[in-house]
């Protein structure tokens, strides 16, 4: 499945999650998807994005590591369903927005949590989502610079 469709499915699942455990599981899924997209871009994407894509893969992996991994069967792991990037610009734009939505959802959980462990887990995951989003935005910036150069030349 292409990245844009998987991001859309993740957005719908995040919006449909109503409890802390569900939102945190979706945040993990989003970070795993960001890691898979970063790996895909690093291997087969434009050369000017490869360094940032490797950074995204590392940061998103950290985002997965700070959250408890949900119990999923192989078919439920959206990142494993990634078969193509599709429109790179659209996929990165949508991924950046989704990472922002994950951060906002986690802020809600952290601020409502009475459990210190959950609070700090959310805070670390918010930081990872924010840093992952920064990498995605940098990749979009580099694509824009490349396109401007191609238009001028």
């Amino acid at each position: 499945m292409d990245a844009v469709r998987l991001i859309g499915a993740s957005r719908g699942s995040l919006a449909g999650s109503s409890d802390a455990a569900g939102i945190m599981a979706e945040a993990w899924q989003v970070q795993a998807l960001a890691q898979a997209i970063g790996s895909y871009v690093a291997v087969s994407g434009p050369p000017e994005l490869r360094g940032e894509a490797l950074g995204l893969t590392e940061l998103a992996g950290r985002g997965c590591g700070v959250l408890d991994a949900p119990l999923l069967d192989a078919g439920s792991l959206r990142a494993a369903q990634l078969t193509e990037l599709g429109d790179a610009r659209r996929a990165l734009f949508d991924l950046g927005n989704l990472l922002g939505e994950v951060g906002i959802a986690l802020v809600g959980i952290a601020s409502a949590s009475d459990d210190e462990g959950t609070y700090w887990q959310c805070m670390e995951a918010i930081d990872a989502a924010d840093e992952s989003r920064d990498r995605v935005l940098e990749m979009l910036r580099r694509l824009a610079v490349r396109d401007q150069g191609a238009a001028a030349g």
Side-chain angles (χ1 to χ4, degrees):
M1 188 179 300
D2 75 34
V4 173
R5 287 181 54 202
L6 288 168
I7 292 165
S10 292
R11 177 171 280 122
S13 292
L14 179 64
S17 297
S18 58
D19 64 344
I23 292 169
M24 291 174 76
E26 287 305 320
W28 187 93
Q29 284 260 39
V30 169
Q31 287 288 10
L33 182 57
Q35 186 177 30
I37 291 171
S39 294
Y40 195 93
V41 172
V43 170
S44 57
E48 59 269 14
L49 300 184
R50 290 187 179 151
E52 292 298 326
L54 287 172
L56 173 61
T57 300
E58 180 181 324
L59 289 167
R62 189 186 77 169
C64 287
V66 298
L67 292 165
D68 294 331
L71 298 174
L72 300 170
D73 58 42
S76 298
L77 178 60
R78 283 184 218 105
Q81 298 172 28
L82 181 67
T83 58
E84 63 179 291
L85 187 60
D87 178 357
R89 184 179 318 285
R90 170 89 188 274
L92 292 172
F93 181 81
D94 289 355
L95 180 60
N97 286 337
L98 181 58
L99 287 163
E101 291 169 18
V102 162
I104 291 167
L106 290 169
V107 166
I109 293 171
S111 63
S113 178
D114 293 331
D115 176 50
E116 189 172 329
T118 299
Y119 172 83
W120 285 110
Q121 190 177 25
C122 286
M123 295 307 290
E124 289 291 324
I126 292 164
D127 186 46
D130 187 49
E131 290 180 30
S132 294
R133 186 172 185 271
D134 288 346
R135 291 294 173 133
V136 169
L137 293 175
E138 179 60 21
M139 286 190 279
L140 285 167
R141 186 193 70 76
R142 288 182 186 216
L143 282 175
V145 167
R146 179 190 72 176
D147 293 348
Q148 286 174 348

